[in-house]
Structure formats: structure tokens, C-alpha cells
Amino acid sequence: MQSTTRKPRLAAIEYIRGISMMGVIGIHIGSQYIMNPAANIHLVALLETVTRFSVPIFFFISAFGLFYNLNINEPFDFKSFTKRRLKTVLIPYLAWSLFYLLHDGLLYGVGFPDPLHLLSILFFGNAKYQLYFMVILLWFYLLMPLWIAIVRRLTMPKLAVLLALQIAFDYWSSFSTGFNLYVYSLPDSSLLKPFLMYRLNYWVLHYFFIFLLGGYLSVHSQQFMAFMKARLRGLTCFFFFTLGGLLTYYYEKIFFDGYTPMEAINTAHQLCPWGIMYTIAASLFFFAVFTYVKFPPALSQALHLLGKHSYFAYLAHPLFITYIGLMIQHKGLVMTAPLIIGFYWGALLLSLLAATACRRLGTAVPLLNKLTIGVYPKK
């Protein structure tokens, strides 16, 4: 049986979950705004580029949390681990997938998919645009013995090699003309085509470095804490340097290469070299800030609430984006900058209110919390 030694709770992990959820909502609101041909490119950059750390940083904190109380030198109880993780991720994933398939089938009149199509949707995480993250996370969980074996042997030089491999792999997957032409040239009837088209939805290789970095730093948490405390200013500079690099890449594509904002954000994303470095910098920066910077009580409470309800808000926010968008469309309004900012805060606040209400209702009806966020009553 895998033994654990309980370490002090880290508020930084909870706070990072909250701001990451906010960033994901920003990305999805940006997808609405960018449909406006006259969209402000700077607001697009804020919504779609500054927020690009949001998804991969989840893998960092997930790995950090998994390894934090784990003794990697003892036998790993994979069965017990898998049982716990399937309850917290797989069941909510299936519940939310079926909810969105039923909801969207009724709303858009497309009906419920046939069994074969349903299996494909569930495998790739295509029931709604945010659910693919849970599919990748499940694959990370299923490969946990591999990650433990790698983390046991990791050193800083080996991490540097893995980073180089990550940059090379992501660049190939995202920007290889030959590979992408091959994928799109496959006939729609090809069984291989969806496995390659939706590779971002389940290939853990796209994010293996940030996950292993989280695991490695968690295992060496004492040294990591001391490093952050001593290098807070340097980590801040690193964060803004990489953010500047990613934004420069975005603006370069628009002003020098003639890209549209849509093309620019689909190039300057989290898998490009600057995006990978920005993710690493954001992971270290936010962890350090939320560990060693003292915030006013009101702000700390707000960060706590964001983190506590981030899981539900992440899963539910497309529902509110849909209905706010339909209301805007019904009124014939143009997606201007002020409107899209209000759109963002409306979707965020409604998601948090729904999360709070369901969490409270779930205390009386435990099945609700089990299905929506994988939280079970304490024994």
C-alpha cells in the first residue's frame, strides 16, 4: 500500500486554479469577440494570448498536487489511485458530456448522437469545447506509473533535454506543413483521420514537460520553496519577458506577416516555443507570488472562492456563454470592446454563482456534487 506523508496545505495551488479558470473563460469569450471583423487587436491579445498559460498550467498544478504527498520510492498502489481519480474526473466528465449532448441536441435541433458517434465524441472529448482537457488529464492519470518512474530519475540537465524535446515535438505537431497537409488530405471516411485531427485532445506528449516539471518540483518542494523565496524578482522578470516575447510574436504576425487576428492567435499559442516558455514562467511566477506575497484579506478570500469553485465554473461556463451570446444576437448588438468585457464578467459571475448554488445543494443531494465535481461526503 502506497504510504503518504501529509505536508502543509498550499494555498498557491488553489489560487492558480482560480486564475486559470478565469483565463480559460477569457479564451472562450475571445472566440466570440474575434468574429467581429473590427475587433480591437489589443483586446484580442489580452483575451487570447495573455491567457495562454491557462490550460497547461493546470497540468503543472495537477502533477504538483499528485506528487506532493507521494513517496515515489515506495511501491505505487495504482489500483487505489485509479479508483480515486476516476471518481473525481471520469464520472464528472461523462456526466457533463451527456448533459451538453442532450442540451445542445435540444437547443440546436441536432438530436442525440448514435452509439458509434457517441463513443467517438466521448473518446476525443468533443461533447463541448472545454471537455478535451479532462480526456488528457485522464490519460495522464492512467500513465502515472510511467511519470513516477521518470520523476525518480529526473535531474536538472535531464529536464533541459526534455524541454528541448517538448519544443521540438510541439513545433512539429503545430507547424509541420507536410504532416498537417497529410492529415487534412485523408478522406473523411478514414479511421485514422479523427485520431490525427483531434490529437490535441488526447496526446499527452503535447504537455509532458510541464506535467513532469510539476512532479519534479513537488518531489523537491523544500528546495523549490527556497528557490522561489530567493528568486521572486527574477521569476517576475522571467514571466514578463516571456509574456513580452509571446505578444511580440503575435503582433509580428499581424503587422509584418499580414495575418488576421484569428490566424495570429492560432500561431502564437501555448504550443509555440514562446508559448511553452511563457507557460513555464507563469507556473513559477504565480506559485511564487501566491506563496510569498501577502494579499489583503478580501483579495485572499476572493482567490479562495475562485479556486474552490474553479472546477464547476470551468465545466459550466460554456452554458452561460451560449445564452449570453444568444441574447446579444437576439438584440442585434455588435460585439464591441465594452460589450465583450461585460460579456466576460457576466459569464464568469454566473458560472461562480451556479457553482456556489450547486455546491450548497449538493450537501443536501450528494449525488449532485458526485456527478458535477467528483466531491463525495466525508466519512
Side-chain angles (χ1 to χ4, degrees):
M1 183 72 176
Q2 177 71 36
S3 65
T4 59
T5 302
R6 304 303 300 179
K7 296 178 181 177
R9 176 183 168 275
L10 297 175
I13 292 179
E14 181 179 67
Y15 293 175
I16 290 174
R17 285 197 190 102
I19 61 164
S20 300
M21 174 270 294
M22 292 179 67
V24 169
I25 294 179
I27 292 171
H28 295 152
I29 293 293
S31 300
Q32 302 283 323
Y33 180 52
I34 207 166
M35 297 303 166
N36 180 354
N40 183 298
I41 61 170
H42 310 300
L43 183 54
V44 170
L46 175 63
L47 293 170
E48 293 279 355
T49 303
V50 175
T51 56
R52 280 295 162 174
F53 68 87
S54 300
V55 170
I57 204 174
F58 268 123
F59 296 118
F60 176 84
I61 60 173
S62 294
F64 200 100
L66 289 175
F67 280 89
Y68 187 57
N69 288 302
L70 185 69
N71 188 335
I72 62 172
N73 296 314
E74 291 186 2
F76 179 61
D77 188 349
F78 182 64
K79 181 179 179 180
S80 176
F81 170 84
T82 304
K83 183 179 179 180
R84 292 195 307 271
R85 297 301 161 180
L86 293 184
K87 287 168 66 177
T88 57
V89 177
L90 179 61
I91 291 176
Y93 168 69
L94 293 174
W96 282 99
S97 294
L98 294 176
F99 167 78
Y100 279 115
L101 288 172
L102 288 168
H103 172 271
D104 291 359
L106 291 171
L107 181 64
Y108 301 113
V110 296
F112 197 78
D114 60 80
L116 187 60
H117 191 203
L118 176 62
L119 287 175
S120 173
I121 290 171
L122 293 177
F123 180 84
F124 293 115
N126 287 336
K128 205 63 177 176
Y129 48 75
Q130 88 286 22
L131 294 176
Y132 78 95
F133 164 78
M134 301 180 77
V135 173
I136 305 180
L137 194 58
L138 285 167
W139 280 107
F140 270 116
Y141 289 159
L142 292 174
L143 294 169
M144 191 62 180
L146 172 63
W147 309 131
I148 292 174
I150 294 174
V151 170
R152 280 176 184 157
R153 296 164 176 79
L154 271 183
T155 60
M156 292 303 294
K158 289 178 181 177
L159 273 172
V161 172
L162 289 178
L163 175 57
L165 291 173
Q166 181 74 88
I167 292 172
F169 176 81
D170 285 352
Y171 194 87
W172 168 79
S173 180
S174 300
F175 302 112
S176 170
T177 303
F179 174 65
N180 283 286
L181 285 175
Y182 167 73
V183 173
Y184 284 98
S185 69
L186 291 170
D188 291 339
S189 58
S190 170
L191 291 176
L192 179 61
K193 187 169 186 175
F195 285 92
L196 296 179
M197 283 284 292
Y198 300 122
R199 61 190 180 276
L200 292 176
N201 295 31
Y202 72 104
W203 282 11
V204 295
L205 287 176
H206 288 107
Y207 297 106
F208 74 89
F209 175 81
I210 197 66
F211 187 87
L212 289 172
L213 179 64
Y216 175 80
L217 294 178
S218 181
V219 169
H220 301 88
S221 57
Q222 289 186 339
Q223 297 94 314
F224 178 46
M225 297 296 173
F227 171 80
M228 288 190 297
K229 189 174 184 179
R231 300 285 189 276
L232 182 56
R233 183 174 296 178
L235 292 175
T236 303
C237 293
F238 182 38
F239 171 77
F240 284 105
F241 173 74
T242 54
L243 172 58
L246 184 60
L247 286 172
T248 299
Y249 188 42
Y250 164 81
Y251 286 115
E252 175 194 347
K253 291 301 172 186
I254 292 177
F255 291 121
F256 293 96
D257 296 335
Y259 281 34
T260 64
M262 176 72 80
E263 292 169 335
I265 64 170
N266 286 334
T267 304
H269 51 60
Q270 69 268 26
L271 298 182
C272 74
W274 272 115
I276 293 170
M277 298 308 297
Y278 177 49
T279 294
I280 296 169
S283 301
L284 301 178
F285 168 72
F286 285 120
F287 215 117
V289 167
F290 290 143
T291 301
Y292 290 110
V293 174
K294 187 173 179 60
F295 295 99
L299 181 55
S300 296
Q301 181 64 19
L303 289 168
H304 165 70
L305 289 174
L306 285 168
K308 178 181 179 180
H309 298 299
S310 60
Y311 194 16
F312 187 99
Y314 175 86
L315 293 168
H317 75 270
L319 194 65
F320 301 105
I321 289 178
T322 296
Y323 284 103
I324 295 175
L326 288 173
M327 182 185 69
I328 291 172
Q329 182 181 358
H330 178 72
K331 291 182 177 293
L333 301 175
V334 178
M335 290 283 190
T336 60
L339 180 61
I340 210 69
I341 293 171
F343 192 165
Y344 171 81
W345 287 109
L348 174 62
L349 292 174
L350 287 172
S351 299
L352 290 172
L353 287 172
T356 304
C358 285
R359 189 68 173 261
R360 290 178 179 175
L361 182 59
T363 59
V365 187
L367 182 62
L368 184 62
N369 281 339
K370 292 177 183 178
L371 292 176
T372 57
I373 53 176
V375 169
Y376 290 72
K378 292 182 180 180
K379 296 181 180 179

